[in-house]
Amino acid sequence: YPGDWRVLRGITQPELAAAAKIATTTLRGIERADIALTDLNAATLAELLGIDVAEYRAAYHRARSRPPGTTA
C-alpha cells in the first residue's frame, strides 16, 4: 500500500504531506485509497519517496482493491 513506502523511508504523514505541499488529510486519503490519486500527486509522492510513479500507482491500486474491512 502507499503508506508502506512512506514507513519504509522513515517519514511521517505530516512530513511527507508538507514536502508534497498537500494537506495531511489528503495524504491520508490517498494512502487509504479513499480519494482519487491525481497524476500530479502520484508524480510528486513517488519522487519524494524515491520510487517509480508506476510503482506508487500499483500500491494505490492494491489499496483500492483490498478486501472489505482490511486496513490500508
Side-chain angles (χ1 to χ4, degrees):
Y1 300 142
D4 294 339
W5 285 108
R6 177 182 50 75
V7 171
L8 286 170
R9 300 297 188 262
I11 305 170
T12 65
Q13 280 185 338
E15 289 169 340
L16 183 57
K21 296 181 175 50
I22 59 175
T24 302
T25 55
T26 299
L27 178 60
R28 184 178 306 120
I30 291 169
E31 288 187 353
R32 293 173 52 177
D34 290 337
I35 65 171
L37 177 63
T38 66
D39 290 340
L40 177 60
N41 284 341
T44 301
L45 293 167
E47 181 178 342
L48 290 169
L49 293 169
I51 62 172
D52 186 71
V53 174
E55 184 63 41
Y56 194 84
R57 285 194 171 283
Y60 175 82
H61 288 295
R62 282 192 298 275
R64 290 272 305 164
S65 61
R66 70 187 185 275
T70 305
T71 58

